[in-house]
Amino acid sequence: MTPPETDLIGTNAIGDESPAVLACRKLTTLTQRRDFQRAARGKRVAMPGFVLQMLRRPDSSDDSIRIGYTCSKKVGNAVARNRAKRRLREVARAKLPTLGKNGHDYVLIGRNKTTAGLPFDQLLVDMEKALSILHVSRK
């Protein structure tokens, strides 16, 4: 027999799933090289801690947000690259579900020394700023 509190985990008072659960569900990770190459042909913005690339998928039959992470050997050894990618994953997890647009691919590229060295709050602010720059419609 389960306690009654466990039945309410992941739901709000109305009975729908919480926004955090919904947000985590629609982020998927890019794994194919061709998806990274397509995103490289889209819009980009360079911030002090990272470079963000964005491409709207023309065949977006699903409403998911896809995200990819990359750090070259210029970032450092394997430990430094993995640390930088962990920080980029957390930034994306925190900001993309609310500020990202469905049907878009995003690629976060780590920068040498700054991705791992900047304060995390600064990375979050940079992510908000980068997304606002990329989502401005230019006519």
Side-chain angles (χ1 to χ4, degrees):
M1 186 162 145
T2 60
E5 297 88 31
T6 58
D7 295 337
L8 299 176
I9 294 175
T11 62
N12 59 21
I14 302 171
D16 298 330
E17 290 184 294
S18 69
V21 172
L22 290 174
C24 290
R25 189 177 311 147
K26 64 180 181 177
L27 278 182
T28 56
T29 306
L30 294 176
T31 56
Q32 301 291 315
R33 183 172 188 266
R34 66 175 177 245
D35 293 331
F36 283 88
Q37 289 175 329
R38 275 191 209 124
R41 290 191 294 262
K43 294 180 182 178
R44 75 178 63 219
V45 63
M47 302 306 286
F50 56 85
V51 176
L52 178 62
Q53 299 173 339
M54 180 193 77
L55 180 69
R56 182 177 177 276
R57 292 191 309 273
D59 59 341
S60 60
S61 59
D62 60 343
D63 286 336
S64 66
I65 297 172
R66 298 192 315 175
I67 180 78
Y69 313 94
T70 184
C71 289
S72 70
K73 288 189 177 182
K74 292 178 185 178
V75 174
N77 62 8
V79 175
R81 290 194 305 270
N82 287 334
R83 181 165 192 247
K85 283 193 279 189
R86 277 195 308 269
R87 291 176 62 113
L88 292 176
R89 275 193 291 271
E90 286 305 313
V91 168
R93 227 176 261 143
K95 295 297 178 183
L96 268 182
T98 55
L99 300 175
K101 290 188 177 181
N102 291 340
H104 285 70
D105 288 346
Y106 298 92
V107 174
L108 281 166
I109 303 170
R111 298 187 94 169
N112 188 11
K113 297 180 184 165
T114 56
T115 303
L118 279 178
F120 189 72
D121 293 335
Q122 181 63 39
L123 288 176
L124 291 173
V125 170
D126 287 347
M127 184 66 164
E128 288 179 16
K129 190 175 179 183
L131 287 170
S132 67
I133 291 170
L134 288 175
H135 290 164
V136 171
S137 61
R138 296 183 182 142
K139 294 181 180 179

